[in-house]
Amino acid sequence: MRRLLLLLLGLLLLQQGRCFEFVIDGEWEEETSDIRDHRERHKRAILTSEEQEDFEAIRGDDITVKSYKVESRITSRFAHTTVRSSVVNSGSKAQSIGFNVQIPKRAFISNFTMNVNGITFVGSVKEKTVARNLYAQARARGKAAGIVRANSQDMETFKTEVHVPPGSNIEFELHYQEMMHRKLGFYEHSLYLQPGRLVPQFQVDVYIFEPKGISMVQTPNSLGEQFAGMIKVTSSKEKAHVVFKPNLQQQRKCDNCTGSAIDGVFTVKYDVTRDSNAGELQVSDGHFVQFFAPSNLSPLPKNIVFVIDVSGSMWGVKMKQTVEAMQAILDDLTIDDHFSIIDFNHNVRCWSEELVAGSSIQIADAKKYILNIKHRSWSPVDFLSTNINEALMRAVQMLLKASNQGLIDPRSVSMIILVSDGDPTVGEIKLSTIQKNVKRVMREEFSLFSLGIGFDVDYDFLERIAMENRGMAQRIYANHDAAEQLRTFYSQVSSPLLRRITIQFPEDSVSDVTQNRFDKYFSGSELVVAGKVLPSESNTLTSFTTASAARLDITLETEGDYAELDTELAKQQHSFTGFARQMWAYITIKQLISERSLAPTAAKKRKITQRIMSLAVEHQFVTPLTALLVESEDAKERLLADSPKDPKHGCCSGVGIGGGLIGDPPVHVVYQPPPWVQMTTPAPPSQAAKGTEEWTLPQQVNLVDNDPHFIVHLPRSNMDVCFNIDSTPGHILNLVSDSGTGVVVNGQLIGSKQTHKSKLKTYFGTISVYYLPDGVSVTISTDSIALTDGSSNHSFTWGATAEITQDGVRISIVKNSHVSILINDNIQVMVLLHRVWKKHPVNVDFLGIYIPNNNQYSPLVHGLIGQFSREPDVSVYDMHEGVDPLKKEATMDVKGNKLLVTRGWQKDYRHDKRRGSNVYCWFIHNSGKGFIDGHYTDYIVPNLNSFLQTL
């Protein structure tokens, strides 16, 4: 959302008393559309000119800035920033002193306080009408306030001006809050530093606390080489502290200069540790926040129609930068992607009337087309006209045709990317009609992304039309790096990993949930859902996330402890303990503002407006519908910080937090969300609380566990037979090979860290289950579970319970326990995870494998386990005392061999992974020789997916 919030406070302290002189420049929603359109055009011009305005944090001719300190506390991606400054009027005359702060556009100011010669002014957020009425009372006694606008690319400006006599001491303090948005794999926190003068006490502190851990912290030196090495970062697993504290000499532009060299954006980039694709569920202060940012998934194919404005206003630098960006964007397309290009002014032209595959030949031809745009000759009508409606209609028709004809993958992502710098001037020019036209023809699986170049564009329209069609908008600033801005935006949407994501919770466990259904998830971003936690006898909250990937359907389960995080936050000196409550309100308000801009009726708009104002006042956020009333302690002196509606900048956008939420029960108001958002409703227990499905194995199975011990269950004989395989680390043993069903199960051996009693133990470190008909391979290691199908690669960790379905293969992961694979509902394999103490001098993590006897193989099945699906005739006789009195010995007659066997036991670890349960069996010596067909070395295969050659 583009919100410009500025405060002009003129406090004139005279010997006779105090009075105020100001002008009001507010904007009221009752204006007619014609007046509003005129004002919008005028404002765009003002913003463009003011973009060049010189900015100083502290303004004054003869003043002493004693201190300027900025502190940000980021807890679980939510930042609370405080800017403090202490100033003295050192001159001999009264003068105006300005305190200016540039803050991120997405932030909400939460408070401002000021102390002037011992008189304290404290801010509080109120509904805009209430604040203006209270302020009007003060104004009647000679007090007034005003609003001034300014603009920058990613920031907006808060301004204060105080007129004070000589010797006055002024202290300013501004607070604002924002949620960190993940883009391209990291969060970025920006602080605009421009003190405009040398400051004896200048300091910036950024404290980060992430409960699951911080994976990286970077502080790119954007302030200049002079400050290289002055930014200090200290970090541990969960915390980081970034400090920038240059002394007076270090601040100087040169050794003898009196001006400050600090002028720019101070940036901290970081990302968090993620131990699973299921996300992170945090519970604190009666609220929850679910973060979802999976990785290690193959991108979905894309179908993109680029719609490019080539009207006269785009020529020059804008077109040059657009052409440059398109060259790089086209290079990013793959053979699995489909695309086309439409350019328009008065006319609409298509590079290709149909979507084409992203082959090298097609991409090269598209590049030539883009380059030739600037060499065309145009008529005056073409040069000055913009037909957005027709261009978008053609783009949608192109996607519809490809979809109807089955030319594109049904699991692919289809999108239109519109690049324009102006308003429609020919064809259909009424913005509301264009919006309705696009919405009418767009399918649910299509998305529209809008890029508005410069300040002539009606950004509010571009944002509304994008939001209403499952996309987002972004302003591109027409300067030297516009091409990079375009490329960066495309990078954010170029790698869709999931579609149709839903995050749900068990019935009666949560309320007031923010948007929990999302059309797409793009690599490097993050989806966030927040809400309130209802009282429960349970100690944990559980969420269930469902999504579709390339050929996959996924269900993921996440848990969050009710008390653990609050206990940890209480120990942290620099954490923001109220983060969950404020983040829920922040997301809710942003989504309500989005809904408000799309409200179909005035009545619904009024209801949403009331809800926004109520939440903003409760959580002290300055929004376009609330104001910051700053008043003295005796409430006799009142000043007003207003945030007028600013149509050209629309409202909040961004992947992961747009639109729709549950109505708040205490207020008894129900909202109609935008059409792409489905309301979260309590699902029946069979759906909401079901989670992943676990398939149980029979009581008696064939298994291989520990180092490695084989147990073969013979149902007809009601007997268990055991043997060990003493092979070499790295060898891959075939367990099941069935060329008839196309199933193969192999295991690769790993060795212990060192020998024990002169022997190196071996274990299964990797198990592979391959299903040839679908080309699907599931590779399970002690670190991850990987799923590949020849074209896509997906990886999951042991850190979350999950269920994955691809074609005829179903995989169920139980967190840090086991994985079950079910093929065509008739062949099942379970792999058990064994963790050991990481610092154990000998042992390593390993896997056990459990295979039921009732798997429906073909007659061609073989392998160390598979061969026993055809149960051999076995007889045991001549039982007698053995060398070990606890273990009897006997003779076994099997497969024409007479074998000396020993009665003993091995372990089944399915129900007790630490101690296991005893399985009594007859033990075959010499690596199963005589019981298995051939020699165990005959079962060594070259690759994890290799079938066994005929013995």
Side-chain angles (χ1 to χ4, degrees):
M1 179 187 69
R2 179 65 176 100
R3 171 180 52 80
L4 298 171
L5 174 63
L6 306 122
L7 170 62
L8 179 57
L9 304 179
L11 176 56
L12 179 58
L13 301 181
L14 303 177
Q15 293 180 351
Q16 293 88 350
R18 296 182 295 276
C19 66
F20 301 79
E21 289 288 343
F22 303 101
V23 177
I24 289 221
D25 176 22
E27 180 185 334
W28 299 93
E29 296 194 5
E30 286 77 9
E31 291 174 332
T32 66
S33 59
D34 290 342
I35 295 174
R36 188 158 55 239
D37 288 344
H38 174 75
R39 283 176 176 261
E40 288 178 32
R41 303 278 183 181
H42 178 60
K43 286 171 199 164
R44 292 178 209 165
I46 292 174
L47 287 165
T48 305
S49 63
E50 288 189 0
E51 190 172 19
Q52 307 303 322
E53 178 188 11
D54 291 334
F55 180 88
E56 287 182 328
I58 310 295
R59 284 184 177 272
D61 295 329
D62 193 2
I63 62 174
T64 300
V65 181
K66 295 192 296 184
S67 66
Y68 190 87
K69 296 183 179 180
V70 183
E71 178 185 281
S72 288
R73 298 187 179 195
I74 304 174
T75 299
S76 295
R77 292 80 142 175
F78 198 76
H80 182 112
T81 300
T82 305
V83 183
R84 300 181 179 92
S85 186
S86 180
V87 185
V88 176
N89 181 3
S90 307
S92 58
K93 298 179 181 179
Q95 65 167 315
S96 293
I97 296 175
F99 173 70
N100 308 319
V101 180
Q102 289 197 320
I103 68 173
K105 293 174 184 175
R106 66 189 178 211
F108 286 145
I109 287 176
S110 55
N111 203 355
F112 172 72
T113 61
M114 177 175 63
N115 186 293
V116 183
N117 292 331
I119 303 171
T120 301
F121 292 81
V122 180
S124 62
V125 177
K126 299 184 182 298
E127 293 182 15
K128 183 171 286 190
T129 303
V130 173
R132 284 175 171 174
N133 288 339
L134 287 170
Y135 173 71
Q137 298 171 18
R139 180 184 180 190
R141 295 189 293 270
K143 304 171 180 63
I147 300 163
V148 179
R149 291 187 173 89
N151 180 74
S152 66
Q153 179 166 329
D154 298 310
M155 301 282 180
E156 57 194 30
T157 306
F158 172 93
K159 288 192 173 185
T160 313
E161 192 166 299
V162 187
H163 198 86
V164 293
S168 296
N169 290 276
I170 311 100
E171 294 180 355
F172 303 100
E173 184 172 305
L174 179 72
H175 298 255
Y176 63 88
Q177 297 177 2
E178 61 180 314
M179 187 176 83
M180 300 289 98
H181 292 260
R182 189 168 184 258
K183 295 182 179 180
L184 302 177
F186 56 82
Y187 309 94
E188 183 171 297
H189 184 57
S190 298
L191 301 169
Y192 198 96
L193 305 178
Q194 197 172 29
R197 63 196 68 241
L198 301 176
V199 182
Q201 298 179 47
F202 184 95
Q203 184 166 340
V204 177
D205 291 284
V206 178
Y207 299 96
I208 304 172
F209 174 68
E210 290 290 347
K212 288 294 185 180
I214 300 171
S215 62
M216 58 82 80
V217 180
Q218 294 178 353
T219 54
N221 182 20
S222 54
L223 296 174
E225 288 302 316
Q226 177 175 337
F227 299 104
M230 293 188 193
I231 301 173
K232 306 298 182 184
V233 180
T234 56
S235 62
S236 59
K237 179 185 176 183
E238 301 168 341
K239 295 184 288 186
H241 178 208
V242 181
V243 61
F244 176 55
K245 191 179 179 182
N247 58 36
L248 275 174
Q249 189 60 32
Q250 291 170 331
Q251 294 174 39
R252 299 180 190 274
K253 289 183 178 180
C254 62
D255 289 343
N256 299 319
C257 294
T258 58
S260 173
I262 300 174
D263 182 4
V265 179
F266 181 86
T267 302
V268 177
K269 295 181 178 181
Y270 80 97
D271 200 16
V272 302
T273 302
R274 294 175 178 83
D275 57 6
S276 79
N277 272 344
E280 182 179 348
L281 180 57
Q282 299 182 6
V283 182
S284 174
D285 193 23
H287 293 73
F288 74 87
V289 184
Q290 165 89 55
F291 302 100
F292 184 63
S295 57
N296 298 318
L297 301 170
S298 287
L300 296 161
K302 304 183 293 294
N303 315 301
I304 308 179
V305 181
F306 299 97
V307 182
I308 302 172
D309 184 350
V310 295
S311 59
S313 56
M314 278 288 292
W315 287 90
V317 173
K318 292 179 185 177
M319 183 54 65
K320 179 182 178 183
Q321 299 269 1
T322 301
V323 169
E324 180 184 332
M326 282 299 300
Q327 300 293 305
I329 289 171
L330 290 170
D331 278 334
D332 180 73
L333 297 173
T334 70
I335 192 64
D336 294 324
D337 298 325
H338 290 77
F339 76 105
S340 189
I341 300 167
I342 294 174
D343 66 88
F344 68 97
N345 42 32
H346 175 74
N347 294 310
V348 176
R349 289 158 298 274
C350 300
W351 164 68
S352 170
E353 293 290 341
E354 297 181 343
L355 292 182
V356 299
S359 65
S360 57
I361 295 175
Q362 298 287 13
I363 289 173
D365 190 60
K367 284 184 172 183
K368 290 178 184 177
Y369 181 84
I370 290 291
L371 287 171
N372 287 335
I373 288 176
K374 59 185 177 182
H375 299 305
R376 294 184 194 152
S377 59
W378 306 104
S379 69
V381 174
D382 285 334
F383 198 74
L384 299 175
S385 303
T386 307
N387 193 345
I388 291 178
N389 184 76
E390 179 62 23
L392 289 176
M393 291 297 101
R394 293 279 287 276
V396 177
Q397 289 164 9
M398 200 175 288
L399 291 175
L400 287 171
K401 182 178 179 181
S403 178
N404 292 337
Q405 294 180 352
L407 301 177
I408 56 179
D409 188 332
R411 283 183 176 259
S412 61
V413 170
S414 297
M415 63 181 79
I416 298 168
I417 297 181
L418 170 65
V419 181
S420 180
D421 77 333
D423 297 333
T425 58
V426 296
E428 180 57 64
I429 63 173
K430 190 175 181 181
L431 300 183
S432 60
T433 301
I434 297 174
Q435 189 175 336
K436 290 176 183 176
N437 289 344
V438 175
K439 178 182 176 182
R440 175 173 48 83
V441 297
M442 285 280 280
R443 282 189 180 171
E444 185 179 340
E445 61 267 29
F446 299 167
S447 295
L448 171 61
F449 297 91
S450 303
L451 298 175
I453 299 184
F455 288 95
D456 264 349
V457 68
D458 190 324
Y459 186 76
D460 183 52
F461 162 69
L462 292 182
E463 188 158 50
R464 281 200 314 271
I465 201 171
M467 288 168 51
E468 197 168 36
N469 293 285
R470 298 158 295 281
M472 64 178 179
Q474 181 166 314
R475 186 183 292 283
I476 302 297
Y477 295 84
N479 54 28
H480 64 281
D481 70 341
E484 180 59 29
Q485 294 175 58
L486 286 164
R487 286 194 296 268
T488 299
F489 174 86
Y490 176 76
S491 296
Q492 294 176 44
V493 301
S494 64
S495 186
L497 300 184
L498 295 173
R499 298 171 63 240
R500 299 178 180 174
I501 306 101
T502 302
I503 300 175
Q504 289 186 293
F505 302 84
E507 187 176 7
D508 297 329
S509 65
V510 297
S511 68
D512 301 272
V513 179
T514 60
Q515 179 187 345
N516 71 324
R517 294 175 186 254
F518 305 89
D519 187 63
K520 300 173 185 68
Y521 168 75
F522 295 97
S523 177
S525 66
E526 183 170 61
L527 303 180
V528 183
V529 177
K532 296 179 179 179
V533 179
L534 296 176
S536 172
E537 295 180 359
S538 173
N539 295 323
T540 58
L541 176 66
T542 304
S543 71
F544 304 103
T545 303
T546 58
S548 295
R551 293 180 63 187
L552 289 183
D553 291 315
I554 303 170
T555 301
L556 302 163
E557 183 178 323
T558 315
E559 291 183 341
D561 188 275
Y562 275 40
E564 184 178 26
L565 183 53
D566 282 336
T567 302
E568 188 61 34
L569 287 171
K571 302 175 185 177
Q572 304 301 322
Q573 182 180 357
H574 298 289
S575 66
F576 178 29
T577 54
F579 85 92
R581 179 177 181 270
Q582 290 299 96
M583 184 180 284
W584 169 79
Y586 177 97
I587 297 172
T588 301
I589 291 171
K590 292 282 187 181
Q591 292 178 0
L592 281 169
I593 293 172
S594 297
E595 288 186 38
R596 184 175 181 271
S597 71
L598 299 173
T601 66
K604 290 192 175 183
K605 189 171 186 177
R606 282 194 298 270
K607 288 182 179 180
I608 297 172
T609 297
Q610 186 58 44
R611 177 71 173 126
I612 294 171
M613 291 191 296
S614 175
L615 279 174
V617 170
E618 180 184 351
H619 294 268
Q620 292 293 285
F621 286 148
V622 179
T623 71
L625 301 171
T626 51
L628 184 68
L629 188 71
V630 185
E631 56 186 345
S632 60
E633 292 174 334
D634 58 9
K636 293 181 179 179
E637 313 292 347
R638 288 183 181 139
L639 313 168
L640 184 69
D642 208 344
S643 177
K645 182 185 175 190
D646 204 349
K648 70 201 165 307
H649 290 287
C651 58
C652 57
S653 64
V655 175
I657 66 163
L661 68 160
I662 296 181
D664 192 353
V667 182
H668 301 295
V669 180
V670 180
Y671 308 106
Q672 180 65 38
W676 76 92
V677 176
Q678 299 183 45
M679 303 279 278
T680 304
T681 55
S686 60
Q687 297 175 19
K690 181 179 178 181
T692 56
E693 180 182 350
E694 186 177 350
W695 317 298
T696 56
L697 292 176
Q699 176 75 22
Q700 294 173 310
V701 297
N702 302 310
L703 66 93
V704 188
D705 215 326
N706 219 306
D707 59 340
H709 302 309
F710 286 71
I711 303 177
V712 176
H713 178 66
L714 303 175
R716 206 170 61 232
S717 305
N718 193 24
M719 180 189 304
D720 291 292
V721 179
C722 309
F723 60 92
N724 296 340
I725 296 289
D726 294 320
S727 192
T728 305
H731 278 176
I732 300 172
L733 299 179
N734 174 256
L735 305 176
V736 176
S737 178
D738 186 2
S739 57
T741 61
V743 174
V744 62
V745 181
N746 292 323
Q748 186 168 31
L749 296 172
I750 56 173
S752 55
K753 294 175 183 176
Q754 54 183 314
T755 57
H756 180 64
K757 295 182 180 180
S758 301
K759 181 182 178 182
L760 184 69
K761 290 188 175 183
T762 57
Y763 309 84
F764 280 130
T766 303
I767 300 291
S768 173
V769 180
Y770 178 55
Y771 183 48
L772 180 61
D774 290 341
V776 175
S777 174
V778 183
T779 304
I780 304 160
S781 71
T782 56
D783 296 322
S784 64
I785 300 96
L787 179 64
T788 62
D789 60 15
S791 60
S792 300
N793 301 288
H794 310 281
S795 181
F796 301 85
T797 72
W798 286 96
T801 296
E803 184 173 316
I804 305 106
T805 303
Q806 176 165 341
D807 301 324
V809 179
R810 295 172 62 193
I811 305 165
S812 177
I813 304 171
V814 176
K815 181 179 179 180
N816 294 325
S817 176
H818 61 271
V819 174
S820 296
I821 299 116
L822 184 62
I823 299 174
N824 283 341
D825 293 326
N826 57 23
I827 295 177
Q828 187 176 357
V829 177
M830 190 185 86
V831 177
L832 195 67
L833 173 67
H834 293 271
R835 293 277 192 220
V836 299
W837 179 42
K838 288 185 178 180
K839 295 182 180 180
H840 196 287
V842 178
N843 294 343
V844 292
D845 293 347
F846 64 95
L847 303 173
I849 185 166
Y850 294 73
I851 303 175
N853 289 88
N854 60 356
N855 278 350
Q856 297 177 29
Y857 304 115
S858 80
L860 301 176
V861 67
H862 210 279
L864 286 168
I865 295 293
Q867 63 186 289
F868 295 103
S869 66
R870 298 179 297 276
E871 183 176 335
D873 292 327
V874 176
S875 62
V876 177
Y877 57 92
D878 190 22
M879 192 179 306
H880 57 273
E881 294 290 332
V883 177
D884 185 340
L886 298 178
K887 297 180 179 180
K888 294 190 178 291
E889 294 181 350
T891 300
M892 175 181 287
D893 197 344
V894 57
K895 296 182 178 180
N897 302 310
K898 296 185 184 299
L899 307 175
L900 177 65
V901 295
T902 303
R903 188 66 172 170
W905 63 88
Q906 297 293 354
K907 297 285 187 179
D908 182 332
Y909 292 94
R910 284 178 292 171
H911 305 295
D912 185 345
K913 286 203 292 184
R914 185 177 179 184
R915 292 180 293 270
S917 55
N918 291 334
V919 177
Y920 290 91
C921 58
W922 289 106
F923 183 77
I924 310 290
H925 301 274
N926 300 320
S927 297
K929 185 178 181 181
F931 182 65
I932 62 173
D933 295 338
H935 192 267
Y936 86 86
T937 55
D938 297 330
Y939 298 86
I940 297 174
V941 293
N943 300 301
L944 281 170
N945 291 343
S946 297
F947 282 82
L948 184 67
Q949 299 300 313
T950 303
L951 292 179

